[in-house]
Amino acid sequence: QDRLVESGGGSVQAGGSLKLSCQASTSISNRCTMAWYRQPSGKEREMVSIIRGQGDGTKTYADSVKGRFTISHDEEKNTLFLQMSGLKTEDTAMYSCAACASYTGDKITRFEYWGQGTQVTVSS
């Protein structure tokens, strides 16, 4: 019942664009901090972008995607988006969304909810 469902992934050539969506179930607060993570096959998961909830809206991006990716959240629909432009082969990964961060001080320690992920494959 508490679920996040990603969509919008696919295969694209380098330089192309994709827009990912993450639909949160109605049981998940639309005031939560939400984030996109990605995990290339055989490699560690890494943070892509975070948008703070509870009316804050502060956005954080990994250096590798800053200027190319844009995170946004539709609070009314409780849907998270990631607009990706200028895609590079190194962006190839399984992209997952996460919701409702727990904090120790100002540091995120975990997310309560995770989606199953959507694959993004960028070819040269």
Side-chain angles (χ1 to χ4, degrees):
Q1 187 59 238
D2 298 326
R3 64 179 182 174
L4 302 171
V5 180
E6 302 96 335
S7 62
S11 298
V12 64
Q13 291 190 344
S17 299
L18 284 173
K19 187 174 184 179
L20 307 183
S21 299
C22 173
Q23 177 65 59
S25 61
T26 56
S27 59
I28 296 175
S29 173
N30 65 355
R31 304 285 288 175
C32 284
T33 291
M34 299 187 74
W36 287 100
Y37 283 75
R38 68 185 182 187
Q39 185 169 23
S41 181
K43 299 183 179 180
E44 295 182 340
R45 185 175 63 194
E46 64 180 353
M47 185 274 291
V48 177
S49 185
I50 301 171
I51 182 167
R52 288 201 170 212
Q54 300 186 19
D56 188 313
T58 299
K59 299 174 181 179
T60 301
Y61 297 94
D63 289 343
S64 60
V65 307
K66 194 168 187 177
R68 299 187 297 118
F69 291 10
T70 302
I71 191 171
S72 61
H73 182 240
D74 185 328
E75 190 170 291
E76 184 173 299
K77 298 179 180 179
N78 204 9
T79 302
L80 183 72
F81 300 98
L82 185 68
Q83 176 65 58
M84 306 184 294
S85 299
L87 284 163
K88 304 175 180 180
T89 55
E90 52 261 45
D91 295 318
T92 295
M94 180 69 71
Y95 284 71
S96 300
C97 67
C100 302
S102 296
Y103 291 85
T104 298
D106 198 37
K107 180 178 176 62
I108 294 175
T109 56
R110 68 169 62 193
F111 282 91
E112 185 172 359
Y113 307 107
W114 288 87
Q116 291 286 87
T118 185
Q119 179 67 36
V120 172
T121 302
V122 184
S123 62
S124 61

PDB file of all heavy atoms in Angstrom, residues 26-65:
ATOM      1  N   THR A  26      -1.167   7.232  -2.016  1.00  0.00           N
ATOM      2  CA  THR A  26      -1.813   8.254  -1.198  1.00  0.00           C
ATOM      3  C   THR A  26      -1.499   8.111   0.284  1.00  0.00           C
ATOM      4  O   THR A  26      -1.671   9.066   1.049  1.00  0.00           O
ATOM      5  CB  THR A  26      -3.333   8.224  -1.397  1.00  0.00           C
ATOM      6  OG1 THR A  26      -3.833   6.917  -1.116  1.00  0.00           O
ATOM      7  CG2 THR A  26      -3.685   8.589  -2.834  1.00  0.00           C
ATOM      8  N   SER A  27      -1.046   6.939   0.699  1.00  0.00           N
ATOM      9  CA  SER A  27      -0.708   6.720   2.098  1.00  0.00           C
ATOM     10  C   SER A  27       0.633   7.337   2.491  1.00  0.00           C
ATOM     11  O   SER A  27       0.947   7.415   3.678  1.00  0.00           O
ATOM     12  CB  SER A  27      -0.704   5.223   2.415  1.00  0.00           C
ATOM     13  OG  SER A  27       0.227   4.537   1.603  1.00  0.00           O
ATOM     14  N   ILE A  28       1.415   7.760   1.502  1.00  0.00           N
ATOM     15  CA  ILE A  28       2.694   8.402   1.763  1.00  0.00           C
ATOM     16  C   ILE A  28       2.496   9.907   1.776  1.00  0.00           C
ATOM     17  O   ILE A  28       1.891  10.467   0.862  1.00  0.00           O
ATOM     18  CB  ILE A  28       3.737   8.009   0.700  1.00  0.00           C
ATOM     19  CG1 ILE A  28       4.017   6.507   0.768  1.00  0.00           C
ATOM     20  CG2 ILE A  28       5.026   8.804   0.882  1.00  0.00           C
ATOM     21  CD1 ILE A  28       4.930   6.006  -0.326  1.00  0.00           C
ATOM     22  N   SER A  29       3.012  10.542   2.800  1.00  0.00           N
ATOM     23  CA  SER A  29       2.853  11.980   2.944  1.00  0.00           C
ATOM     24  C   SER A  29       3.422  12.725   1.747  1.00  0.00           C
ATOM     25  O   SER A  29       4.503  12.400   1.249  1.00  0.00           O
ATOM     26  CB  SER A  29       3.545  12.466   4.217  1.00  0.00           C
ATOM     27  OG  SER A  29       3.534  13.876   4.280  1.00  0.00           O
ATOM     28  N   ASN A  30       2.691  13.744   1.292  1.00  0.00           N
ATOM     29  CA  ASN A  30       3.195  14.590   0.212  1.00  0.00           C
ATOM     30  C   ASN A  30       4.078  15.711   0.736  1.00  0.00           C
ATOM     31  O   ASN A  30       4.460  16.600  -0.033  1.00  0.00           O
ATOM     32  CB  ASN A  30       2.043  15.146  -0.621  1.00  0.00           C
ATOM     33  CG  ASN A  30       1.132  16.084   0.164  1.00  0.00           C
ATOM     34  OD1 ASN A  30       1.294  16.269   1.368  1.00  0.00           O
ATOM     35  ND2 ASN A  30       0.160  16.669  -0.530  1.00  0.00           N
ATOM     36  N   ARG A  31       4.410  15.656   2.011  1.00  0.00           N
ATOM     37  CA  ARG A  31       5.294  16.646   2.618  1.00  0.00           C
ATOM     38  C   ARG A  31       6.679  16.084   2.901  1.00  0.00           C
ATOM     39  O   ARG A  31       7.513  16.770   3.506  1.00  0.00           O
ATOM     40  CB  ARG A  31       4.678  17.173   3.916  1.00  0.00           C
ATOM     41  CG  ARG A  31       3.276  17.757   3.750  1.00  0.00           C
ATOM     42  CD  ARG A  31       3.316  19.113   3.095  1.00  0.00           C
ATOM     43  NE  ARG A  31       3.846  20.122   3.999  1.00  0.00           N
ATOM     44  CZ  ARG A  31       4.089  21.381   3.665  1.00  0.00           C
ATOM     45  NH1 ARG A  31       3.865  21.803   2.439  1.00  0.00           N
ATOM     46  NH2 ARG A  31       4.569  22.224   4.569  1.00  0.00           N
ATOM     47  N   CYS A  32       6.917  14.865   2.473  1.00  0.00           N
ATOM     48  CA  CYS A  32       8.194  14.211   2.729  1.00  0.00           C
ATOM     49  C   CYS A  32       9.303  14.718   1.815  1.00  0.00           C
ATOM     50  O   CYS A  32       9.062  15.111   0.668  1.00  0.00           O
ATOM     51  CB  CYS A  32       8.075  12.703   2.519  1.00  0.00           C
ATOM     52  SG  CYS A  32       7.229  11.803   3.827  1.00  0.00           S
ATOM     53  N   THR A  33      10.501  14.667   2.342  1.00  0.00           N
ATOM     54  CA  THR A  33      11.673  14.794   1.487  1.00  0.00           C
ATOM     55  C   THR A  33      11.697  13.614   0.516  1.00  0.00           C
ATOM     56  O   THR A  33      11.432  12.481   0.901  1.00  0.00           O
ATOM     57  CB  THR A  33      12.954  14.805   2.338  1.00  0.00           C
ATOM     58  OG1 THR A  33      13.005  16.023   3.079  1.00  0.00           O
ATOM     59  CG2 THR A  33      14.204  14.679   1.484  1.00  0.00           C
ATOM     60  N   MET A  34      12.014  13.894  -0.737  1.00  0.00           N
ATOM     61  CA  MET A  34      12.083  12.840  -1.735  1.00  0.00           C
ATOM     62  C   MET A  34      13.388  12.957  -2.508  1.00  0.00           C
ATOM     63  O   MET A  34      14.010  14.016  -2.544  1.00  0.00           O
ATOM     64  CB  MET A  34      10.884  12.904  -2.691  1.00  0.00           C
ATOM     65  CG  MET A  34       9.547  12.731  -1.995  1.00  0.00           C
ATOM     66  SD  MET A  34       8.137  12.605  -3.133  1.00  0.00           S
ATOM     67  CE  MET A  34       8.376  10.936  -3.774  1.00  0.00           C
ATOM     68  N   ALA A  35      13.769  11.853  -3.127  1.00  0.00           N
ATOM     69  CA  ALA A  35      15.067  11.831  -3.785  1.00  0.00           C
ATOM     70  C   ALA A  35      15.098  10.828  -4.924  1.00  0.00           C
ATOM     71  O   ALA A  35      14.293   9.896  -4.979  1.00  0.00           O
ATOM     72  CB  ALA A  35      16.169  11.491  -2.783  1.00  0.00           C
ATOM     73  N   TRP A  36      16.040  11.052  -5.810  1.00  0.00           N
ATOM     74  CA  TRP A  36      16.377  10.094  -6.852  1.00  0.00           C
ATOM     75  C   TRP A  36      17.770   9.555  -6.578  1.00  0.00           C
ATOM     76  O   TRP A  36      18.699  10.325  -6.306  1.00  0.00           O
ATOM     77  CB  TRP A  36      16.358  10.725  -8.243  1.00  0.00           C
ATOM     78  CG  TRP A  36      14.996  11.019  -8.769  1.00  0.00           C
ATOM     79  CD1 TRP A  36      14.361  12.212  -8.770  1.00  0.00           C
ATOM     80  CD2 TRP A  36      14.106  10.086  -9.397  1.00  0.00           C
ATOM     81  NE1 TRP A  36      13.126  12.104  -9.350  1.00  0.00           N
ATOM     82  CE2 TRP A  36      12.942  10.802  -9.744  1.00  0.00           C
ATOM     83  CE3 TRP A  36      14.177   8.726  -9.694  1.00  0.00           C
ATOM     84  CZ2 TRP A  36      11.855  10.198 -10.377  1.00  0.00           C
ATOM     85  CZ3 TRP A  36      13.101   8.127 -10.315  1.00  0.00           C
ATOM     86  CH2 TRP A  36      11.958   8.864 -10.649  1.00  0.00           C
ATOM     87  N   TYR A  37      17.892   8.247  -6.641  1.00  0.00           N
ATOM     88  CA  TYR A  37      19.171   7.568  -6.576  1.00  0.00           C
ATOM     89  C   TYR A  37      19.344   6.747  -7.836  1.00  0.00           C
ATOM     90  O   TYR A  37      18.379   6.450  -8.546  1.00  0.00           O
ATOM     91  CB  TYR A  37      19.252   6.660  -5.347  1.00  0.00           C
ATOM     92  CG  TYR A  37      19.491   7.392  -4.047  1.00  0.00           C
ATOM     93  CD1 TYR A  37      18.479   8.107  -3.424  1.00  0.00           C
ATOM     94  CD2 TYR A  37      20.741   7.357  -3.435  1.00  0.00           C
ATOM     95  CE1 TYR A  37      18.700   8.780  -2.231  1.00  0.00           C
ATOM     96  CE2 TYR A  37      20.970   8.016  -2.241  1.00  0.00           C
ATOM     97  CZ  TYR A  37      19.945   8.728  -1.647  1.00  0.00           C
ATOM     98  OH  TYR A  37      20.180   9.382  -0.457  1.00  0.00           O
ATOM     99  N   ARG A  38      20.573   6.377  -8.114  1.00  0.00           N
ATOM    100  CA  ARG A  38      20.814   5.502  -9.247  1.00  0.00           C
ATOM    101  C   ARG A  38      21.907   4.508  -8.908  1.00  0.00           C
ATOM    102  O   ARG A  38      22.768   4.771  -8.070  1.00  0.00           O
ATOM    103  CB  ARG A  38      21.185   6.298 -10.505  1.00  0.00           C
ATOM    104  CG  ARG A  38      22.536   7.003 -10.442  1.00  0.00           C
ATOM    105  CD  ARG A  38      22.731   7.860 -11.679  1.00  0.00           C
ATOM    106  NE  ARG A  38      24.029   8.519 -11.692  1.00  0.00           N
ATOM    107  CZ  ARG A  38      24.397   9.418 -12.594  1.00  0.00           C
ATOM    108  NH1 ARG A  38      23.560   9.767 -13.567  1.00  0.00           N
ATOM    109  NH2 ARG A  38      25.610   9.970 -12.530  1.00  0.00           N
ATOM    110  N   GLN A  39      21.847   3.373  -9.568  1.00  0.00           N
ATOM    111  CA  GLN A  39      22.827   2.334  -9.341  1.00  0.00           C
ATOM    112  C   GLN A  39      23.192   1.681 -10.667  1.00  0.00           C
ATOM    113  O   GLN A  39      22.409   0.894 -11.211  1.00  0.00           O
ATOM    114  CB  GLN A  39      22.311   1.289  -8.356  1.00  0.00           C
ATOM    115  CG  GLN A  39      23.338   0.243  -7.982  1.00  0.00           C
ATOM    116  CD  GLN A  39      22.899  -0.622  -6.820  1.00  0.00           C
ATOM    117  OE1 GLN A  39      21.704  -0.749  -6.543  1.00  0.00           O
ATOM    118  NE2 GLN A  39      23.852  -1.211  -6.133  1.00  0.00           N
ATOM    119  N   PRO A  40      24.377   1.994 -11.183  1.00  0.00           N
ATOM    120  CA  PRO A  40      24.845   1.279 -12.369  1.00  0.00           C
ATOM    121  C   PRO A  40      25.037  -0.192 -12.040  1.00  0.00           C
ATOM    122  O   PRO A  40      25.345  -0.544 -10.894  1.00  0.00           O
ATOM    123  CB  PRO A  40      26.183   1.952 -12.686  1.00  0.00           C
ATOM    124  CG  PRO A  40      26.114   3.281 -12.004  1.00  0.00           C
ATOM    125  CD  PRO A  40      25.324   3.027 -10.761  1.00  0.00           C
ATOM    126  N   SER A  41      24.857  -1.038 -13.013  1.00  0.00           N
ATOM    127  CA  SER A  41      24.995  -2.470 -12.792  1.00  0.00           C
ATOM    128  C   SER A  41      26.365  -2.793 -12.207  1.00  0.00           C
ATOM    129  O   SER A  41      27.395  -2.375 -12.738  1.00  0.00           O
ATOM    130  CB  SER A  41      24.790  -3.218 -14.105  1.00  0.00           C
ATOM    131  OG  SER A  41      24.905  -4.612 -13.918  1.00  0.00           O
ATOM    132  N   GLY A  42      26.365  -3.517 -11.100  1.00  0.00           N
ATOM    133  CA  GLY A  42      27.601  -3.939 -10.470  1.00  0.00           C
ATOM    134  C   GLY A  42      28.310  -2.875  -9.663  1.00  0.00           C
ATOM    135  O   GLY A  42      29.407  -3.123  -9.155  1.00  0.00           O
ATOM    136  N   LYS A  43      27.709  -1.700  -9.528  1.00  0.00           N
ATOM    137  CA  LYS A  43      28.334  -0.615  -8.795  1.00  0.00           C
ATOM    138  C   LYS A  43      27.452  -0.160  -7.644  1.00  0.00           C
ATOM    139  O   LYS A  43      26.312  -0.591  -7.499  1.00  0.00           O
ATOM    140  CB  LYS A  43      28.641   0.552  -9.733  1.00  0.00           C
ATOM    141  CG  LYS A  43      29.609   0.202 -10.852  1.00  0.00           C
ATOM    142  CD  LYS A  43      29.936   1.413 -11.709  1.00  0.00           C
ATOM    143  CE  LYS A  43      30.922   1.055 -12.800  1.00  0.00           C
ATOM    144  NZ  LYS A  43      31.252   2.230 -13.654  1.00  0.00           N
ATOM    145  N   GLU A  44      28.002   0.717  -6.818  1.00  0.00           N
ATOM    146  CA  GLU A  44      27.278   1.202  -5.653  1.00  0.00           C
ATOM    147  C   GLU A  44      26.203   2.205  -6.036  1.00  0.00           C
ATOM    148  O   GLU A  44      26.323   2.929  -7.022  1.00  0.00           O
ATOM    149  CB  GLU A  44      28.245   1.848  -4.661  1.00  0.00           C
ATOM    150  CG  GLU A  44      29.243   0.888  -4.043  1.00  0.00           C
ATOM    151  CD  GLU A  44      30.138   1.561  -3.027  1.00  0.00           C
ATOM    152  OE1 GLU A  44      30.264   2.801  -3.063  1.00  0.00           O
ATOM    153  OE2 GLU A  44      30.709   0.849  -2.187  1.00  0.00           O
ATOM    154  N   ARG A  45      25.158   2.237  -5.228  1.00  0.00           N
ATOM    155  CA  ARG A  45      24.105   3.221  -5.406  1.00  0.00           C
ATOM    156  C   ARG A  45      24.618   4.600  -5.029  1.00  0.00           C
ATOM    157  O   ARG A  45      25.378   4.753  -4.068  1.00  0.00           O
ATOM    158  CB  ARG A  45      22.902   2.847  -4.538  1.00  0.00           C
ATOM    159  CG  ARG A  45      21.691   3.735  -4.737  1.00  0.00           C
ATOM    160  CD  ARG A  45      20.523   3.207  -3.927  1.00  0.00           C
ATOM    161  NE  ARG A  45      20.792   3.244  -2.504  1.00  0.00           N
ATOM    162  CZ  ARG A  45      20.066   2.615  -1.593  1.00  0.00           C
ATOM    163  NH1 ARG A  45      19.027   1.872  -1.975  1.00  0.00           N
ATOM    164  NH2 ARG A  45      20.376   2.715  -0.315  1.00  0.00           N
ATOM    165  N   GLU A  46      24.191   5.605  -5.781  1.00  0.00           N
ATOM    166  CA  GLU A  46      24.609   6.963  -5.514  1.00  0.00           C
ATOM    167  C   GLU A  46      23.420   7.911  -5.570  1.00  0.00           C
ATOM    168  O   GLU A  46      22.448   7.687  -6.290  1.00  0.00           O
ATOM    169  CB  GLU A  46      25.675   7.409  -6.515  1.00  0.00           C
ATOM    170  CG  GLU A  46      25.194   7.460  -7.954  1.00  0.00           C
ATOM    171  CD  GLU A  46      26.269   7.905  -8.921  1.00  0.00           C
ATOM    172  OE1 GLU A  46      27.359   8.299  -8.477  1.00  0.00           O
ATOM    173  OE2 GLU A  46      26.012   7.856 -10.143  1.00  0.00           O
ATOM    174  N   MET A  47      23.525   8.968  -4.794  1.00  0.00           N
ATOM    175  CA  MET A  47      22.492   9.987  -4.793  1.00  0.00           C
ATOM    176  C   MET A  47      22.585  10.798  -6.077  1.00  0.00           C
ATOM    177  O   MET A  47      23.674  11.187  -6.492  1.00  0.00           O
ATOM    178  CB  MET A  47      22.648  10.902  -3.575  1.00  0.00           C
ATOM    179  CG  MET A  47      21.548  11.946  -3.410  1.00  0.00           C
ATOM    180  SD  MET A  47      21.845  13.481  -4.356  1.00  0.00           S
ATOM    181  CE  MET A  47      23.242  14.175  -3.451  1.00  0.00           C
ATOM    182  N   VAL A  48      21.439  11.047  -6.683  1.00  0.00           N
ATOM    183  CA  VAL A  48      21.363  11.884  -7.868  1.00  0.00           C
ATOM    184  C   VAL A  48      20.858  13.272  -7.499  1.00  0.00           C
ATOM    185  O   VAL A  48      21.471  14.282  -7.846  1.00  0.00           O
ATOM    186  CB  VAL A  48      20.451  11.262  -8.938  1.00  0.00           C
ATOM    187  CG1 VAL A  48      20.327  12.195 -10.143  1.00  0.00           C
ATOM    188  CG2 VAL A  48      20.978   9.896  -9.358  1.00  0.00           C
ATOM    189  N   SER A  49      19.727  13.307  -6.810  1.00  0.00           N
ATOM    190  CA  SER A  49      19.128  14.581  -6.450  1.00  0.00           C
ATOM    191  C   SER A  49      18.158  14.399  -5.302  1.00  0.00           C
ATOM    192  O   SER A  49      17.501  13.378  -5.194  1.00  0.00           O
ATOM    193  CB  SER A  49      18.406  15.190  -7.658  1.00  0.00           C
ATOM    194  OG  SER A  49      17.910  16.482  -7.360  1.00  0.00           O
ATOM    195  N   ILE A  50      18.064  15.414  -4.467  1.00  0.00           N
ATOM    196  CA  ILE A  50      17.157  15.420  -3.326  1.00  0.00           C
ATOM    197  C   ILE A  50      16.365  16.718  -3.328  1.00  0.00           C
ATOM    198  O   ILE A  50      16.911  17.786  -3.603  1.00  0.00           O
ATOM    199  CB  ILE A  50      17.924  15.303  -1.994  1.00  0.00           C
ATOM    200  CG1 ILE A  50      18.752  14.017  -1.951  1.00  0.00           C
ATOM    201  CG2 ILE A  50      16.959  15.358  -0.809  1.00  0.00           C
ATOM    202  CD1 ILE A  50      19.703  13.948  -0.768  1.00  0.00           C
ATOM    203  N   ILE A  51      15.099  16.614  -3.020  1.00  0.00           N
ATOM    204  CA  ILE A  51      14.276  17.799  -2.817  1.00  0.00           C
ATOM    205  C   ILE A  51      13.666  17.700  -1.422  1.00  0.00           C
ATOM    206  O   ILE A  51      12.987  16.728  -1.095  1.00  0.00           O
ATOM    207  CB  ILE A  51      13.200  17.969  -3.916  1.00  0.00           C
ATOM    208  CG1 ILE A  51      12.393  19.245  -3.679  1.00  0.00           C
ATOM    209  CG2 ILE A  51      12.297  16.751  -4.019  1.00  0.00           C
ATOM    210  CD1 ILE A  51      11.543  19.651  -4.877  1.00  0.00           C
ATOM    211  N   ARG A  52      13.938  18.702  -0.609  1.00  0.00           N
ATOM    212  CA  ARG A  52      13.449  18.698   0.761  1.00  0.00           C
ATOM    213  C   ARG A  52      11.961  18.965   0.816  1.00  0.00           C
ATOM    214  O   ARG A  52      11.421  19.783   0.072  1.00  0.00           O
ATOM    215  CB  ARG A  52      14.187  19.738   1.605  1.00  0.00           C
ATOM    216  CG  ARG A  52      15.622  19.357   1.911  1.00  0.00           C
ATOM    217  CD  ARG A  52      16.123  20.101   3.115  1.00  0.00           C
ATOM    218  NE  ARG A  52      17.415  19.584   3.566  1.00  0.00           N
ATOM    219  CZ  ARG A  52      17.813  19.557   4.812  1.00  0.00           C
ATOM    220  NH1 ARG A  52      17.026  20.024   5.773  1.00  0.00           N
ATOM    221  NH2 ARG A  52      19.001  19.068   5.122  1.00  0.00           N
ATOM    222  N   GLY A  53      11.298  18.268   1.727  1.00  0.00           N
ATOM    223  CA  GLY A  53       9.869  18.411   1.905  1.00  0.00           C
ATOM    224  C   GLY A  53       9.510  19.400   2.987  1.00  0.00           C
ATOM    225  O   GLY A  53      10.288  20.291   3.347  1.00  0.00           O
ATOM    226  N   GLN A  54       8.288  19.260   3.474  1.00  0.00           N
ATOM    227  CA  GLN A  54       7.739  20.131   4.519  1.00  0.00           C
ATOM    228  C   GLN A  54       7.813  21.596   4.136  1.00  0.00           C
ATOM    229  O   GLN A  54       8.074  22.457   4.980  1.00  0.00           O
ATOM    230  CB  GLN A  54       8.436  19.867   5.850  1.00  0.00           C
ATOM    231  CG  GLN A  54       8.270  18.434   6.332  1.00  0.00           C
ATOM    232  CD  GLN A  54       8.836  18.199   7.713  1.00  0.00           C
ATOM    233  OE1 GLN A  54       9.042  19.130   8.488  1.00  0.00           O
ATOM    234  NE2 GLN A  54       9.072  16.939   8.032  1.00  0.00           N
ATOM    235  N   GLY A  55       7.581  21.869   2.860  1.00  0.00           N
ATOM    236  CA  GLY A  55       7.535  23.229   2.381  1.00  0.00           C
ATOM    237  C   GLY A  55       8.870  23.867   2.106  1.00  0.00           C
ATOM    238  O   GLY A  55       8.925  25.014   1.650  1.00  0.00           O
ATOM    239  N   ASP A  56       9.957  23.165   2.362  1.00  0.00           N
ATOM    240  CA  ASP A  56      11.291  23.720   2.158  1.00  0.00           C
ATOM    241  C   ASP A  56      11.594  23.862   0.667  1.00  0.00           C
ATOM    242  O   ASP A  56      11.781  24.968   0.157  1.00  0.00           O
ATOM    243  CB  ASP A  56      12.324  22.837   2.859  1.00  0.00           C
ATOM    244  CG  ASP A  56      13.714  23.434   2.877  1.00  0.00           C
ATOM    245  OD1 ASP A  56      14.177  23.916   1.823  1.00  0.00           O
ATOM    246  OD2 ASP A  56      14.360  23.405   3.939  1.00  0.00           O
ATOM    247  N   GLY A  57      11.651  22.732  -0.042  1.00  0.00           N
ATOM    248  CA  GLY A  57      11.870  22.755  -1.478  1.00  0.00           C
ATOM    249  C   GLY A  57      13.314  22.847  -1.909  1.00  0.00           C
ATOM    250  O   GLY A  57      13.588  22.922  -3.119  1.00  0.00           O
ATOM    251  N   THR A  58      14.245  22.853  -0.969  1.00  0.00           N
ATOM    252  CA  THR A  58      15.658  22.931  -1.315  1.00  0.00           C
ATOM    253  C   THR A  58      16.073  21.722  -2.144  1.00  0.00           C
ATOM    254  O   THR A  58      15.762  20.585  -1.801  1.00  0.00           O
ATOM    255  CB  THR A  58      16.526  23.005  -0.051  1.00  0.00           C
ATOM    256  OG1 THR A  58      16.176  24.179   0.688  1.00  0.00           O
ATOM    257  CG2 THR A  58      18.005  23.056  -0.409  1.00  0.00           C
ATOM    258  N   LYS A  59      16.784  21.988  -3.233  1.00  0.00           N
ATOM    259  CA  LYS A  59      17.212  20.935  -4.138  1.00  0.00           C
ATOM    260  C   LYS A  59      18.713  20.735  -4.065  1.00  0.00           C
ATOM    261  O   LYS A  59      19.478  21.695  -4.021  1.00  0.00           O
ATOM    262  CB  LYS A  59      16.804  21.272  -5.573  1.00  0.00           C
ATOM    263  CG  LYS A  59      15.299  21.417  -5.757  1.00  0.00           C
ATOM    264  CD  LYS A  59      14.944  21.887  -7.157  1.00  0.00           C
ATOM    265  CE  LYS A  59      13.443  22.057  -7.313  1.00  0.00           C
ATOM    266  NZ  LYS A  59      13.081  22.539  -8.675  1.00  0.00           N
ATOM    267  N   THR A  60      19.105  19.490  -4.061  1.00  0.00           N
ATOM    268  CA  THR A  60      20.507  19.114  -4.039  1.00  0.00           C
ATOM    269  C   THR A  60      20.777  18.184  -5.206  1.00  0.00           C
ATOM    270  O   THR A  60      19.973  17.294  -5.500  1.00  0.00           O
ATOM    271  CB  THR A  60      20.873  18.412  -2.723  1.00  0.00           C
ATOM    272  OG1 THR A  60      20.602  19.280  -1.624  1.00  0.00           O
ATOM    273  CG2 THR A  60      22.353  18.041  -2.702  1.00  0.00           C
ATOM    274  N   TYR A  61      21.915  18.380  -5.882  1.00  0.00           N
ATOM    275  CA  TYR A  61      22.280  17.547  -7.015  1.00  0.00           C
ATOM    276  C   TYR A  61      23.690  17.020  -6.856  1.00  0.00           C
ATOM    277  O   TYR A  61      24.567  17.709  -6.326  1.00  0.00           O
ATOM    278  CB  TYR A  61      22.215  18.333  -8.325  1.00  0.00           C
ATOM    279  CG  TYR A  61      20.844  18.830  -8.695  1.00  0.00           C
ATOM    280  CD1 TYR A  61      20.433  20.107  -8.347  1.00  0.00           C
ATOM    281  CD2 TYR A  61      19.971  18.025  -9.404  1.00  0.00           C
ATOM    282  CE1 TYR A  61      19.176  20.566  -8.691  1.00  0.00           C
ATOM    283  CE2 TYR A  61      18.709  18.483  -9.753  1.00  0.00           C
ATOM    284  CZ  TYR A  61      18.314  19.750  -9.395  1.00  0.00           C
ATOM    285  OH  TYR A  61      17.066  20.200  -9.740  1.00  0.00           O
ATOM    286  N   ALA A  62      23.884  15.810  -7.329  1.00  0.00           N
ATOM    287  CA  ALA A  62      25.236  15.300  -7.443  1.00  0.00           C
ATOM    288  C   ALA A  62      25.995  16.150  -8.454  1.00  0.00           C
ATOM    289  O   ALA A  62      25.425  16.626  -9.440  1.00  0.00           O
ATOM    290  CB  ALA A  62      25.221  13.843  -7.892  1.00  0.00           C
ATOM    291  N   ASP A  63      27.282  16.342  -8.214  1.00  0.00           N
ATOM    292  CA  ASP A  63      28.080  17.160  -9.120  1.00  0.00           C
ATOM    293  C   ASP A  63      28.026  16.644 -10.561  1.00  0.00           C
ATOM    294  O   ASP A  63      28.061  17.435 -11.507  1.00  0.00           O
ATOM    295  CB  ASP A  63      29.534  17.206  -8.649  1.00  0.00           C
ATOM    296  CG  ASP A  63      29.720  18.030  -7.389  1.00  0.00           C
ATOM    297  OD1 ASP A  63      28.823  18.821  -7.043  1.00  0.00           O
ATOM    298  OD2 ASP A  63      30.777  17.888  -6.744  1.00  0.00           O
ATOM    299  N   SER A  64      27.924  15.348 -10.713  1.00  0.00           N
ATOM    300  CA  SER A  64      27.953  14.744 -12.035  1.00  0.00           C
ATOM    301  C   SER A  64      26.725  15.067 -12.883  1.00  0.00           C
ATOM    302  O   SER A  64      26.771  14.917 -14.108  1.00  0.00           O
ATOM    303  CB  SER A  64      28.108  13.226 -11.921  1.00  0.00           C
ATOM    304  OG  SER A  64      27.036  12.663 -11.188  1.00  0.00           O
ATOM    305  N   VAL A  65      25.638  15.500 -12.244  1.00  0.00           N
ATOM    306  CA  VAL A  65      24.410  15.762 -12.991  1.00  0.00           C
ATOM    307  C   VAL A  65      23.968  17.216 -12.929  1.00  0.00           C
ATOM    308  O   VAL A  65      23.042  17.610 -13.655  1.00  0.00           O
ATOM    309  CB  VAL A  65      23.252  14.860 -12.513  1.00  0.00           C
ATOM    310  CG1 VAL A  65      23.666  13.397 -12.532  1.00  0.00           C
ATOM    311  CG2 VAL A  65      22.769  15.274 -11.123  1.00  0.00           C
TER     312      VAL A  65
END
